[in-house]
Amino acid sequence: MPRKPKIKHVDWPIGTKVRMVNCYEAKEHADKIWITRSEPWEMCGSQVVLLKGKSGGFDTGCLEVVKDA
């Protein structure tokens, strides 16, 4: 039986700065910093979050937190 992929569980507050990684959208938005506009929730077996300027939930497995310099 195939293994189910692991969900990346995060506990990001609203306003967390993130960058897209390891997905198609990451190529389109390589230098863009996104800001979360919701706390993460589980949907269809993935954990997702809303991003300012993007419609719908985005998989947290394709996001990484950007640390302020």
Side-chain angles (χ1 to χ4, degrees), residues 8-67:
K8 178 182 175 183
H9 288 282
V10 298
D11 189 23
W12 297 334
I14 295 170
T16 302
K17 294 179 182 178
V18 294
R19 176 187 351 244
M20 295 177 179
V21 293
N22 302 323
C23 63
Y24 177 78
E25 288 89 348
K27 294 175 187 175
E28 286 183 38
H29 307 289
D31 298 324
K32 183 163 174 75
I33 303 298
W34 299 86
I35 298 174
T36 61
R37 60 184 176 103
S38 74
E39 293 181 354
W41 78 92
E42 199 165 315
M43 181 176 76
C44 299
S46 296
Q47 190 179 40
V48 297
V49 67
L50 294 176
L51 301 174
K52 286 187 182 178
K54 184 133 181 85
S55 62
F58 200 84
D59 189 343
T60 58
C62 295
L63 296 171
E64 69 179 8
V65 174
V66 175
K67 302 288 183 191

